[in-house]
């Protein structure tokens, strides 16, 4: 007769345990019908169950994880209930199969998980009490090696992640920023997770392992540490998610090392199909960092007198400031370069750029890292592009970020890091993997960068980002970039202490919301 099989599922502590019961047959000691009772006339009273019947029913109840039924078939239901409850909980990660052997009083037991398989036999001692057969209870009725108070337990030992954050803490794939996840997977071979280990052990009453019965060693793959900082990434993500009026992204890096700390995008930015690491956008007035650097490299100082009228004519082009902005008194509208920078005067920087040479803006940009081609394991990046301009009008428009200049948020974070650090950083995402850079040149002089820092600080105290005046050691530059279609892009780039960052809100129509997002981020990281 072929064994019959039924599948049972029991939830224990939220984990499903599957038991397969195989009943080999009903005729164990003597021929007769497959029933607990003798098939007799109505006047005949049911006969007590045989030892084989009780043993069989106990094994079936044990296999189906029916604690009450199994315990009731023993001579110590209280102890059996406690022991069976414990073993079912401890072994909840393994599937139980149990069946009777041919002798009718020995059970075949199999606890099977994905990597370990514990198979054994349990002799069942049968006793009579008040005319009824019962299974004599001891903990060995669960597994022969168990002594009083012991149980079985199934353990999973994490094999570890191939990935950690900058502090060495395991980093799940879900913790990797969306914008870098695919590149990281490719760089380290695709499979980010190691193989977990498993074991079935004997444990004492306190749950401490006494003996290992079956074991599968987990495998820890080669570890990779990302430079991402969990706290910084969380702050950046919350800051961009908090901007619900449109798309938003924020890139942050450690200025002194170039290690990438955070790359955050909200859903609307993701839906636009651009990456903050490779997508390029007109920089608007954030490009005045480059123009100021070029002017300082060519004889100006932050205290130089410049002109900031509301409009200026360069060749056939009329260049306006935003709104009614003008500085100084008519007719010359003279002011200091640092004041024009803090107020973001387009007319000033158009004139500065117009008076430069054709290659001065692209040279200053490259000195700050814009236009450098980085090969960074784990990500693809594009800092941006600044072209030489022989035409004075083209240079003027480029000078306030509304010409052919194109930058990525990543590229602007590099610029901010360079101003803070004094040299172009070497960006890193995966520690131990070498970044190469094509096109790096010597940075601006220390005296030039010191003046740029002064001007960026003034932006955050009395200038266009004065909403951040309460945050000490914050330096930056706002930007509103007009585009061919749709509202203007809003930018804010800068650094605070050793964290350089760039915030871009495409089509936000103003730099104000970008300053707000940056403020939320900076306050969160402290």
């Amino acid at each position: 007769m072929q064994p019959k099989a039924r599948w049972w599922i029991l939830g224990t502590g939220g984990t499903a345990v599957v038991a397969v019961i195989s009943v080999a047959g009903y005729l164990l000691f003597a021929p007769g019908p497959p029933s607990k009772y003798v098939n007799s006339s109505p006047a005949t009273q049911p006969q007590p169950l045989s030892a084989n019947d009780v043993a069989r029913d106990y094994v079936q109840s044990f296999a189906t994880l029916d604690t009450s039924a199994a315990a009731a078939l023993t001579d110590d239901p209280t102890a059996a209930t406690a022991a069976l409850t414990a073993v079912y909980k401890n072994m909840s990660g393994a599937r139980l199969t149990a069946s009777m052997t041919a002798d009718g009083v020995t059970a075949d037991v199999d606890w099977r998980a994905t990597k370990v398989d514990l198979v054994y036999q349990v002799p069942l001692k049968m006793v009579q009490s008040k005319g009824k057969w019962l299974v004599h209870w001891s903990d060995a009725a669960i597994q022969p090696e168990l002594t009083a108070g012991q149980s079985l337990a199934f353990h999973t030992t994490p094999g570890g992640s191939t990935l950690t954050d900058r502090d060495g803490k395991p980093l799940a794939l879900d913790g990797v920023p969306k914008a870098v996840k695919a590149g990281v997977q490719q760089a380290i071979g695709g499979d980010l997770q190691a193989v977990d280990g498993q074991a079935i052990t004997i444990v004492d009453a306190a749950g401490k392992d006494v003996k290992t019965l079956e074991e599968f060693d987990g495998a820890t793959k080669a570890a990779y540490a990302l430079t991402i900082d969990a706290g910084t990434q969380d702050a950046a993500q919350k800051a961009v998610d908090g901007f619900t009026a449109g798309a938003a992204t924020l890139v942050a890096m450690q200025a002194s090392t170039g290690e990438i700390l955070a790359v955050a995008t909200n859903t609307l930015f993701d839906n636009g199909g651009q990456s903050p690491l490779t997508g390029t956008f007109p920089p608007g007035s954030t490009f005045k960092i480059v123009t100021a650097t070029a002017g300082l490299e060519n004889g100006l100082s932050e205290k130089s007198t410049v002109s900031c009228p509301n409009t200026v004519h360069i060749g056939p082009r009329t260049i306006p400031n935003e709104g009614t902005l003008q500085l100084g008194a008519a007719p010359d509208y003279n002011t200091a370069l640092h004041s024009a920078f803090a107020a973001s005067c387009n007319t000033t920087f158009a004139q500065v750029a117009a008076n430069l040479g054709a290659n001065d803006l692209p040279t200053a940009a490259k000195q700050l890292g814009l236009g450098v081609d980085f090969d960074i394991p784990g990500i693809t990046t594009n800092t941006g592009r600044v072209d030489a301009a022989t035409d004075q009008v083209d240079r003027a428009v480029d000078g306030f970020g509304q010409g052919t200049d194109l930058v990525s948020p990543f590229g602007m974070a590099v610029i901010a890091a360079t101003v803070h650090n004094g040299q172009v950083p070497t960006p890193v995402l995966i520690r131990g993997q070498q970044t190469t850079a094509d096109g790096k040149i010597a940075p601006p002089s220390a005296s030039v960068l010191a003046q740029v820092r002064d001007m960026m600080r003034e932006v955050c105290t009395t200038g266009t980002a004065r909403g951040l005046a309460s945050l000490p050691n914050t330096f930056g530059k706002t930007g509103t970039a007009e585009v061919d279609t749709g509202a203007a892009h809003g930018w804010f780039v800068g650094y605070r202490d050793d964290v350089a960052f760039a915030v871009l809100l495409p089509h936000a129509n103003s730099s104000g919301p970008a300053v707000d997002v940056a403020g939320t981020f900076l306050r969160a990281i402290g």
Side-chain angles (χ1 to χ4, degrees), residues 95-176:
R95 179 168 49 182
L96 171 61
T97 303
S99 62
M100 293 298 299
T101 57
D103 64 12
V105 289
T106 303
D108 285 326
V109 180
D110 184 2
W111 298 90
R112 178 172 298 186
T114 55
K115 300 295 183 182
V116 288
D117 187 14
L118 178 63
V119 179
Y120 57 87
Q121 287 189 331
V122 179
L124 300 178
K125 296 180 180 179
M126 307 304 295
V127 296
Q128 276 192 315
S129 175
K130 298 180 180 179
K132 296 167 63 173
W133 283 103
L134 297 171
V135 176
H136 175 62
W137 180 257
S138 72
D139 291 314
I142 293 175
Q143 202 275 341
E145 294 186 59
L146 299 186
T147 60
Q150 293 182 338
S151 186
L152 297 178
F154 171 74
H155 303 292
T156 297
T157 305
S161 171
T162 60
L163 217 52
T164 70
D165 66 10
R166 65 187 294 103
D167 296 322
K169 297 177 181 177
L171 184 64
L173 184 57
D174 289 345
V176 179

Side-chain angles (χ1 to χ4, degrees), residues 304-381:
S304 293
T305 299
V306 292
S307 176
C308 178
N310 183 248
T311 60
V312 68
H313 302 283
I314 298 177
R317 182 75 178 261
T318 299
I319 295 170
N321 283 330
E322 184 175 355
T324 60
L325 174 65
Q326 60 186 34
L327 301 176
D332 297 322
Y333 301 100
N334 286 339
T335 189
L337 180 65
H338 66 85
S339 298
F341 187 90
S344 202
C345 185
N346 292 340
T347 57
T348 298
F349 285 88
Q351 294 174 83
V352 169
N355 291 324
L356 294 171
N359 290 298
D360 287 341
L361 286 178
T363 297
K366 191 161 284 190
Q367 286 181 301
L368 296 170
L370 190 61
V372 177
D373 184 15
F374 295 105
D375 185 0
I376 309 169
I379 51 174
T380 300
T381 61

Side-chain angles (χ1 to χ4, degrees), residues 80-92 142 150-153:
T81 297
L84 291 171
T85 299
V87 77
Y88 293 153
K89 179 179 179 181
N90 294 343
M91 294 294 292
S92 60
I142 293 175
Q150 293 182 338
S151 186
L152 297 178

